[in-house]
Amino acid sequence: MDVQAATLDSYTWPNLAAIKIDAERHEVEVLQGAMATLRTHRPVIIVEVLGDKARARVEALLQGLYRAAGMLDR
């Protein structure tokens, strides 16, 4: 089965206020494909992250662009 994928940066977003990411341990890859969009629009981001290592990777990727306003844990 072939799966087609596209980055969020490959779309034109006239007004982007928020993004929710729940990609089953692929959140970093989703964010990497959205960095130009995030820099341009600065939407609110809600990211489900499973595990401390994944959380650290997401935080490192977004460092300087976003800060965590809050975190929910198990």
Side-chain angles (χ1 to χ4, degrees):
M1 177 169 98
D2 292 333
V3 176
Q4 294 184 3
T7 65
L8 292 175
D9 286 346
S10 67
Y11 293 92
T12 301
W13 306 99
N15 297 305
L16 183 63
I19 297 173
K20 180 186 181 289
I21 301 170
D22 181 354
E24 300 304 322
R25 300 192 185 271
H26 294 282
E27 291 75 21
V28 169
E29 291 85 352
V30 171
L31 289 168
Q32 287 171 331
M35 293 307 291
T37 298
L38 298 179
R39 285 186 185 97
T40 300
H41 294 282
R42 298 295 302 265
V44 170
I45 304 173
I46 299 171
V47 183
E48 178 193 46
V49 179
L50 301 173
D52 293 336
K53 187 180 285 189
R55 179 183 294 177
R57 289 180 65 207
V58 167
E59 288 174 349
L61 185 63
L62 297 176
Q63 188 174 17
L65 185 60
Y66 284 89
R67 65 175 179 78
M71 294 199 182
L72 301 175
D73 209 347
R74 309 172 224 343

